[in-house]
Amino acid sequence: MLKVQNLHKHFGGVKAVKDCSFEVKPHLITALIGPNGAGKSTVFNLISGILKPESGKIIFNNIDITNLSVERISNLGISRLFQQSRLFNNLTVKENLLLALDNEDTKFWKNLAGLNPITQEKETKIKKMLKLVAMESFENNLARDLSYGQKRLIELGRTILNPHILLMLDEPVAGVNPKLRENIAKILVGFKDEGKTILLIEHDMSFTLKIADIVIVMDEGRVIAEGKPEEIKNNPQVL
Ligand code: ADP
Ligand code: MG
């Protein structure tokens, strides 16, 4: 589904990504792991088009997306959860989700001003998503009043409001309490069972090894190992 081929990206003197290649197979959970600074988030930024590589290629469903815009890439079905929260604190959960549905800003502000009616279709989508992440009762709460873990749940839901074939999640459970971690694990496995493809960056090894089908290990900008969780757990180089 996704092929990353010989990617290079540097920031001044820092070689963040060096000759990085891997493949993401459809309908599986693939985890990208590795120490801080290994280049994982940079790879995500390259795939989603936020950054452009100096060399290398990214192929998504046989389309070369290496030099496409963020918007084009997102319209092809790559949806992304960021490492840092991107919710607007002063808006309600529902307003934040409307923003995800109306990615043209002007349309959104018109919605808030009541100039654009919120359609039944949008209401239904948002309700369905909130149910999925068990956050129905928080619809009218301000984002600022949610716990960190609850924000992550809303953001996770938001990734599937957009067109999506591949979900890319950057540290979905970092800073989230164990009970909500458990919920997120279930939601992700549920996504997979529905046929979605997930590419996940995560530091929590027990979480990752439990839900991932394939684990790719990065260090210093490149892939150093790849395999099933059992294989990775016993790989001396990885340890
Ligand atoms: P990871 O997500 O694996 O922790 P990153 O991809 O965030 O790693 O970072 C890889 C390296 O690139 C780090 O040394 C980091 O400091 C550097 N880096 C990442 N983004 C930038 C940037 N925008 N400008 C300068 N250096 C960056
Ligand atoms: Mg990172």
Side-chain angles (χ1 to χ4, degrees):
M1 166 172 286
L2 180 78
K3 290 190 183 115
V4 169
Q5 299 171 337
N6 310 102
L7 281 189
H8 285 264
K9 178 73 194 172
H10 62 76
F11 300 103
V14 178
K15 289 189 174 144
V17 176
K18 289 188 281 209
D19 202 25
C20 180
S21 300
F22 62 88
E23 206 174 309
V24 176
K25 300 216 169 69
H27 316 304
L28 296 181
I29 299 179
T30 302
L32 199 55
I33 67 169
N36 260 327
K40 306 178 299 293
S41 294
T42 303
V43 166
F44 266 33
N45 286 335
L46 291 167
I47 296 169
S48 45
I50 293 167
L51 295 173
K52 297 295 166 200
E54 277 90 44
S55 60
K57 259 191 189 170
I58 303 162
I59 312 287
F60 179 60
N61 282 336
N62 298 320
I63 301 171
D64 185 343
I65 62 167
T66 321
N67 290 305
L68 298 186
S69 67
V70 172
E71 196 184 13
R72 286 282 308 279
I73 293 171
S74 146
N75 288 338
L76 287 173
I78 298 184
S79 184
R80 160 101 189 254
L81 170 85
F82 286 88
Q83 191 170 353
Q84 264 83 37
S85 170
R86 296 210 161 188
L87 294 180
F88 290 94
N89 272 325
N90 292 331
L91 298 182
T92 65
V93 166
K94 185 176 172 181
E95 287 162 349
N96 268 288
L97 295 173
L98 282 170
L99 179 58
L101 286 175
D102 298 311
N103 35 25
E104 296 161 59
D105 287 355
T106 52
K107 220 202 268 174
F108 169 70
W109 294 114
K110 276 189 193 158
N111 276 337
L112 276 192
L115 299 173
N116 227 355
I118 296 165
T119 61
Q120 195 54 48
E121 190 199 342
K122 285 183 202 166
E123 290 274 0
T124 310
K125 268 193 185 168
I126 288 175
K127 286 239 153 56
K128 199 172 145 204
M129 184 283 251
L130 287 173
K131 185 152 187 260
L132 184 78
V133 296
M135 290 287 289
E136 299 106 306
S137 54
F138 293 88
E139 179 173 322
N140 296 311
N141 288 49
L142 288 178
R144 68 159 72 254
D145 296 332
L146 302 182
S147 73
Y148 183 79
Q150 290 170 332
K151 284 187 185 173
R152 285 315 255 174
L153 283 172
I154 298 297
E155 290 185 279
L156 185 61
R158 187 168 61 174
T159 61
I160 61 163
L161 283 179
N162 296 319
H164 56 279
I165 298 171
L166 172 65
L167 298 176
M168 299 211 305
L169 312 171
D170 196 344
E171 303 199 14
V173 301
V176 173
N177 74 47
K179 191 178 166 290
L180 287 185
R181 270 178 200 222
E182 205 46 49
N183 291 356
I184 291 178
K186 281 200 197 109
I187 292 166
L188 296 187
V189 171
F191 285 171
K192 181 180 89 165
D193 293 343
E194 284 171 16
K196 299 189 204 312
T197 306
I198 297 174
L199 176 60
L200 168 81
I201 296 176
E202 191 45 67
H203 275 289
D204 178 336
M205 278 306 111
S206 69
F207 176 90
T208 306
L209 297 176
K210 193 168 62 192
I211 68 165
D213 299 293
I214 307 277
V215 180
I216 296 169
V217 188
M218 277 186 77
D219 190 27
E220 298 187 354
R222 61 165 62 90
V223 173
I224 58 159
E226 183 176 337
K228 299 202 169 90
E230 312 84 81
E231 295 163 354
I232 293 300
K233 242 189 281 191
N234 300 314
N235 181 323
Q237 202 186 352
V238 174
L239 294 174

